[in-house]
Amino acid sequence: MWERLRTWGSRVWCWARMRRLDQDFAEELESHTTMLIEENLHRGMTPEEARRQALLRLGGTARLRESYREQRGLPRLDQVAQDLRYATRMFRKSPGFTLFAGAALALGIAATTAVFSIANAVLLRPLPYRDPSRLVMVWQDDTPYGFPRNNGSPWAFQQWKQSNHVFDDMAALTHDSLNLTGHGNPEYLHTDTVTPNFFSVLGVNAAVGRTFTADDGRPGAPLALVMGYGLWVRRFGADPQLIGQDLLLNGAKYTVVGVMPRGFQFLDPAVDLWVPAQWTPEFIESRKTDHFLTMVARMRSGISVPLASAEMAVLGKQLATGDVSDLTAVVVPLREQLAGDTKPALLVLLGAVAFVLLIACANLANLLLARGSARQREMAVRLALGASRKRIVQQMLAESLLLACVAGVVGLGLAARVTRFLGGMIPPGMAVDGQPGVNGTLLAFTAAVSIATGVLFGILPAMRSSQVELVGSLKQGGGKAGVGAGGQRLRHVLVVSEVALAMVLLAGAALMIRSFEKLYRQDPGFRAEHVLTLQTSLPRPKYQDMARRSEFYREVLQRVESLPRVISAGYTTYLPLADEGGGSVVTVENHPQDPDHMLVANVRVVSTDYFRAIGMTLRQGRLLDRKDGPDSPKVAVINESMARTYWQAENPVGQRFRRGLLQSKTPWVTVVGIVGDMRQGGMNVPVRPEAYFPFEQADFFAPDSLAVRTAGDPTVLTEEVRQQIWAVDKEEPVAAVMPLQQMVEDSVSPARLQASLLGGFAAMALLLASLGIYAVLSFAVTQRTQEIGVRLALGARPADVLRMVVAHGLRLFLLGLAIGVAAALALSRLLAHLLFGVSAGDPLSYVSVTLLLAAVTLLACYVPARRAMRLEPMAALRYE
């Protein structure tokens, strides 16, 4: 073993100094040659004969140099270097082929690498928490009420935390907001109220200071906060002396105890700070049926998600009480929760780019087969001179790999730019390290894809090139002999595969585009044009009194509506598309109540002009008006879904319902009007039953979102609206300012991006498939030039030649189309959950892409067919 290592070490050392050693050997060889020449001259030979005899005696200097390099260096590496140099020269001689092949492959590799970078960030990259595979989200299963993953109540959290046997620990949080005052302009801060063990469950420590302790969550303890890194830098200049100082939030003093590391977030990247929950036993009992907590747990070592789910299901049945019928929990891995609907979309896109890359490989294999036909004489000469078939395959693969690696470098550069565009696919809760960029994983993936594609599209042409028939190729020159029947069948198989793969991609893209069109063109239930939206969260205890809150809303609305170019303005608890929740159990008067199927409706508290501000449509009855004050009878406006679901064939106007169960003390509310359904959770989220209450009669929710309808561009009024709010309360921050139309665009942007990407990949596939058909037919015309000349000389008409060539191409197309349609119908099921308003077997989509593919195929067939029908018979007969 040591002798072998010493030998290899010597070879590596010699290979590193090979240029110097070659020079020394050449000098030594020249010295021997000179000595032999002089000896021959002394024997009376002429100078020419003396040199010839000397070289014959040495046995050939080239062979000696080759033998020397094999003994002293690394011959395999030298062969590879030689093949790469030769491949470079060959590509320089064919710049058109090199440019086209490299561009097609670079685009395929770039698309694959870009989509992989996003998939890596979403599906593979470790989450920035300690042992993240053990972190799970815990939801309450309220499927009968339309919430399969519902938030839990403090009481449910306490019961689960104390009684489970599968979690090391559980934490809970609720999204809230706090208004910062006393440090410049007031600022609206997104806040999470968390149990004190929240950070320890995640396994993340503070970058500066500390996180919460159990004492911070004790009722009556001094108020503390942990600040996000972004707020610390933006508002306080990353001042380390901030730790221990007090901040005024909603009029109360909170002590800053820590700052989290850069990039830390959980679920919501907009959260600015965290405060500890200080729950009393009375609070937990009073909120027994209120679902507002988001829960995260750390599973015990060795516990799987299915086992944890089964345990929590059994525990939920055991904890059921008279007023809480079921506490069944749903356990979801944290990565699955964060990825959401992005995972299936990414898998579809990965499949699409894989198809594009396969089509590019098939296309290049076809081109290399045709190119190999023109190089048959070269290969025959190499074989005749003693080269092995293995050596021929090695040389051809070196060319393919060189082309693939260069395309990979170009593709990586393109992917780095495209990734910025695709970054919008990363769910907000996962973008913890910024947008993905070029890293070791991406480099390794690109290198692997480049090598794999180089072998994939190069192996078949290389094998065919090594199987040439020597005598025929040397006689004919290989120009018109082609690559035989086997080569033709191989090219036909490749073209059929390209057409089939292109059909699958085109069908998928058509379905996604049709789905996006239906999603975007559906009626959202409101008119988003010229509407400005913003948030004003009223802090408590300053606005604890309902009368004071109502006064704030009335004065702000009066001031804003008095502005020029403002048509109307209205407050609401949830803007359209912002939140599908905010539900409450309702009881309809004189209707039987089923304990197992309680009625749950979304509840919205609004001002009277809110419906007009966002452009909702009144279907029946009346809207809310200023007469619906605190002392007037309790009224509400409901949407069509609530009217249809809860009253069915009855007329709801004039009927009564109440929030809560039949035995609850909440007042009865009279329905005074019905409005059209409006999308709340998103453009693709089904509409739920919904009720709208006037803000002066509803003290259970405080509106915090303002919608302002204007006569023109709403953004130009932003500062004027802000000043009117500050005129009412100078400490009230104004946040989340944006046009309502932007919310609509954001809601459909994932579907738009997916449809655009699939459409782009399908267009690439269509182009490559059409070029593949064109290349095969063009090559066939070239190979059959003499046959076509004979046909024309014997009386065939140009139209017959046209028909013959086009029929050849259409046979390949129809076979590929049949395979592609069958594969598309089978694979379209994977798209079903991504589609909106379109079935996976939508006939219009399949017919349209079939016609498109047929038209492009006919064009690809016509160009070489037209060239064939214009051949002159005598020129064709003389063609070599």
Side-chain angles (χ1 to χ4, degrees):
M1 177 181 177
W2 289 108
E3 182 64 23
R4 183 175 297 178
L5 288 175
R6 189 185 67 79
T7 301
W8 275 103
S10 175
R11 282 180 174 271
V12 172
W13 184 82
C14 291
W15 180 80
R17 302 177 67 250
M18 188 55 69
R19 179 172 297 182
R20 177 61 182 170
L21 293 176
D22 279 347
Q23 185 178 349
D24 293 344
F25 182 75
E27 292 175 355
E28 184 179 352
L29 190 61
E30 183 64 28
S31 175
H32 280 285
T33 304
T34 302
M35 291 172 61
L36 289 174
I37 290 174
E38 290 178 355
E39 183 180 338
N40 290 337
L41 288 173
H42 285 304
R43 292 180 180 178
M45 295 182 187
T46 63
E48 293 79 7
E49 182 65 17
R51 183 172 183 81
R52 191 177 75 84
Q53 290 297 327
L55 293 177
L56 288 174
R57 186 174 175 182
L58 288 172
T61 57
R63 186 183 62 81
L64 287 173
R65 288 193 182 95
E66 194 72 24
S67 176
Y68 175 79
R69 293 180 67 88
E70 289 180 359
Q71 294 175 8
R72 302 297 300 273
L74 299 172
R76 294 291 179 86
L77 197 58
D78 288 338
Q79 285 181 3
V80 172
Q82 182 184 13
D83 290 342
L84 292 178
R85 287 193 296 269
Y86 182 77
T88 302
R89 291 197 298 271
M90 292 299 296
F91 288 139
R92 285 177 180 173
K93 290 180 179 179
S94 307
F97 166 82
T98 304
L99 183 62
F100 170 75
L105 197 57
L107 286 175
I109 292 176
T112 305
T113 303
V115 175
F116 171 79
S117 69
I118 304 301
N120 177 58
V122 175
L123 306 178
L124 302 177
R125 184 174 61 187
L127 297 173
Y129 312 114
R130 175 173 54 84
D131 200 1
S133 62
R134 292 168 55 193
L135 290 175
V136 294
M137 302 297 297
V138 182
W139 303 99
Q140 185 161 331
D141 186 0
D142 285 334
T143 303
Y145 309 131
F147 297 99
R149 294 184 185 179
N150 198 11
N151 297 98
S153 66
W155 189 83
F157 168 73
Q158 184 185 62
Q159 297 302 312
W160 287 338
K161 180 178 169 61
Q162 293 173 354
S163 305
N164 84 86
H165 301 94
V166 291
F167 300 138
D168 278 339
D169 202 358
M170 285 183 67
L173 64 99
T174 181
H175 298 301
D176 204 344
S177 65
L178 292 172
N179 295 340
L180 172 65
T181 55
H183 288 76
N185 288 334
E187 185 173 355
Y188 177 99
L189 300 179
H190 294 273
T191 308
D192 274 353
T193 301
V194 300
T195 53
N197 64 337
F198 170 72
F199 296 104
S200 64
V201 169
L202 296 181
V204 182
N205 296 318
V208 182
R210 64 172 177 85
T211 55
F212 299 130
T213 65
D215 288 340
D216 293 318
R218 179 172 45 82
L223 299 176
L225 71 85
V226 171
M227 188 174 294
Y229 189 88
L231 176 63
W232 184 49
V233 172
R234 182 184 74 247
R235 187 75 186 237
F236 302 98
D239 181 10
Q241 302 301 318
L242 186 66
I243 304 299
Q245 294 187 23
D246 292 336
L247 298 182
L248 199 62
L249 301 172
N250 280 10
K253 288 184 178 181
Y254 286 75
T255 302
V256 180
V257 299
V259 177
M260 295 308 293
R262 180 198 299 268
F264 171 80
Q265 65 180 55
F266 184 74
L267 299 182
D268 185 0
V271 173
D272 297 303
L273 52 85
W274 296 264
V275 298
Q278 297 181 348
W279 297 337
T280 63
E282 294 75 21
F283 172 84
I284 294 174
E285 185 66 27
S286 67
R287 307 299 294 272
K288 198 171 186 178
T289 58
D290 291 345
H291 301 270
F292 59 90
L293 290 183
T294 300
M295 286 168 271
V296 60
R298 178 171 293 276
M299 294 190 300
R300 291 180 177 176
S301 180
I303 299 295
S304 65
V305 172
L307 182 60
S309 298
E311 157 89 8
M312 295 303 290
V314 173
L315 181 60
K317 303 297 183 184
Q318 296 173 350
L319 295 175
T321 64
D323 51 352
V324 180
S325 59
D326 194 355
L327 281 179
T328 301
V330 180
V331 179
V332 182
L334 179 59
R335 181 178 292 279
E336 180 182 326
Q337 180 69 40
L338 294 176
D341 294 335
T342 304
K343 179 179 179 179
L346 279 175
L347 294 178
V348 168
L349 290 177
L350 280 173
V353 294
F355 279 15
V356 171
L357 199 56
L358 286 174
I359 294 173
C361 289
N363 220 326
L364 291 181
N366 238 329
L367 291 175
L368 289 177
L369 282 171
R371 194 165 180 257
S373 173
R375 297 176 63 184
Q376 277 196 350
R377 182 164 185 171
E378 173 196 339
M379 300 305 158
V381 170
R382 287 177 176 272
L383 290 170
L385 292 177
S388 65
R389 295 189 185 276
K390 179 181 177 182
R391 188 72 181 85
I392 296 295
V393 171
Q394 178 181 322
Q395 177 197 321
M396 298 297 289
L397 277 179
E399 294 183 16
S400 302
L401 287 171
L402 177 62
L403 180 63
C405 289
V406 172
V409 172
V410 176
L412 182 62
L414 292 174
R417 295 179 177 275
V418 174
T419 300
R420 300 191 187 100
F421 170 69
L422 296 181
M425 290 195 67
I426 300 180
M430 302 191 78
V432 291
D433 295 324
Q435 298 302 327
V438 177
N439 51 35
T441 303
L442 201 61
L443 287 173
F445 176 81
T446 307
V449 168
S450 301
I451 293 172
T453 52
V455 173
L456 186 61
F457 74 76
I459 189 65
L460 291 178
M463 297 294 292
R464 294 296 306 177
S465 296
S466 69
Q467 296 171 1
V468 296
E469 198 276 316
L470 291 181
V471 177
S473 297
L474 291 173
K475 284 183 178 180
Q476 299 290 341
K480 66 177 183 178
V483 290
Q488 283 188 342
R489 284 194 297 270
L490 184 56
R491 290 197 303 275
H492 292 170
V493 168
L494 290 172
V495 168
V496 169
S497 301
E498 289 184 56
V499 173
L501 291 172
M503 180 62 198
V504 173
L505 273 180
L506 285 168
L511 289 172
M512 290 296 292
I513 291 171
R514 287 254 299 150
S515 172
F516 170 72
E517 181 185 17
K518 285 186 173 291
L519 180 67
Y520 191 75
R521 293 184 181 278
Q522 70 169 327
D523 182 12
F526 58 89
R527 292 184 295 110
E529 303 83 5
H530 310 304
V531 177
L532 181 71
T533 66
L534 51 89
Q535 283 187 321
T536 58
S537 179
L538 300 184
R540 300 189 183 190
K542 182 178 180 179
Y543 286 97
Q544 183 73 32
D545 182 60
M546 182 177 176
R548 188 168 184 184
R549 292 201 305 272
S550 299
E551 182 182 355
F552 173 86
Y553 296 137
R554 283 194 298 269
E555 191 169 349
V556 167
L557 291 172
Q558 181 181 356
R559 285 177 171 274
V560 170
E561 288 180 336
S562 67
L563 291 173
R565 302 187 303 278
V566 170
I567 298 174
S568 59
Y571 262 104
T572 181
T573 45
Y574 298 103
L575 287 166
L577 309 177
D579 195 309
E580 64 176 316
S584 177
V585 173
V586 299
T587 299
V588 178
E589 189 178 30
N590 299 325
H591 283 223
Q593 194 173 57
D594 185 353
D596 295 328
H597 297 87
M598 304 299 294
L599 303 181
V600 178
N602 284 350
V603 174
R604 303 291 187 255
V605 178
V606 301
S607 64
T608 54
D609 274 349
Y610 171 70
F611 304 101
R612 184 178 171 215
I614 63 170
M616 293 183 70
T617 304
L618 178 65
R619 301 297 189 192
Q620 190 177 343
R622 68 172 178 87
L623 297 176
L624 302 177
D625 57 38
R626 288 177 171 79
K627 293 183 297 183
D628 300 319
D631 300 323
S632 302
K634 307 298 183 184
V635 298
V637 170
I638 64 174
N639 68 350
E640 290 178 294
S641 289
M642 185 168 177
R644 184 172 54 251
T645 305
Y646 295 173
W647 281 274
Q648 298 178 359
E650 300 179 60
N651 181 6
V653 176
Q655 303 284 352
R656 298 199 307 172
F657 70 96
R658 67 166 23 141
R659 290 178 60 251
L661 301 174
L662 182 62
Q663 62 270 23
S664 66
K665 302 300 183 181
T666 56
W668 290 101
V669 178
T670 302
V671 177
V672 295
I674 303 173
V675 293
D677 287 339
M678 181 170 65
R679 300 282 171 175
Q680 293 285 8
M683 293 291 283
N684 59 343
V685 177
V687 176
R688 292 179 49 78
E690 201 159 76
Y692 301 87
F693 297 83
F695 71 88
E696 292 190 285
Q697 294 184 354
D699 61 351
F700 41 87
F701 289 144
D704 62 359
S705 297
L706 176 63
V708 182
R709 177 166 294 279
T710 67
D713 180 6
T715 58
V716 301
L717 291 175
T718 299
E719 188 57 33
E720 294 180 61
V721 172
R722 182 182 283 114
Q723 293 300 326
Q724 296 305 318
I725 294 172
W726 285 346
V728 178
D729 186 344
K730 64 179 180 180
E731 295 183 342
E732 180 61 35
V734 178
V737 181
M738 71 169 63
L740 185 57
Q741 185 63 42
Q742 183 63 48
M743 298 180 69
V744 175
E745 298 297 329
D746 291 345
S747 178
V748 300
S749 61
R752 176 190 287 112
L753 182 58
Q754 293 164 19
S756 300
L757 288 175
L758 269 182
F761 296 151
M764 291 172 60
L766 180 62
L767 176 62
L768 291 173
S770 62
L771 289 175
I773 293 174
Y774 168 79
V776 165
L777 294 183
S778 182
F779 181 74
V781 168
T782 302
Q783 295 298 105
R784 300 172 66 182
T785 297
Q786 285 190 344
E787 175 196 339
I788 294 173
V790 170
R791 289 176 179 270
L792 292 172
L794 293 178
R797 295 175 301 173
D800 297 328
V801 175
L802 176 68
R803 191 179 304 111
M804 177 186 70
V805 176
V806 171
H808 182 192
L810 287 181
R811 282 195 296 272
L812 299 178
F813 163 73
L814 291 175
L815 181 57
L817 179 66
I819 297 173
V821 169
L825 287 171
L827 293 175
S828 61
R829 300 173 188 171
L830 302 176
L831 287 175
H833 57 284
L834 298 176
L835 301 178
F836 179 85
V838 178
S839 68
D842 179 49
L844 181 60
S845 299
Y846 284 88
V847 170
S848 59
V849 297
T850 298
L851 293 177
L852 174 63
L853 189 55
V856 174
T857 300
L858 282 174
L859 181 61
C861 294
Y862 177 73
V863 175
R866 187 167 176 267
R867 177 163 60 88
M869 64 184 289
R870 290 188 173 184
L871 286 174
E872 291 291 336
M874 294 307 298
L877 291 172
R878 289 194 299 268
Y879 178 77
E880 186 64 40

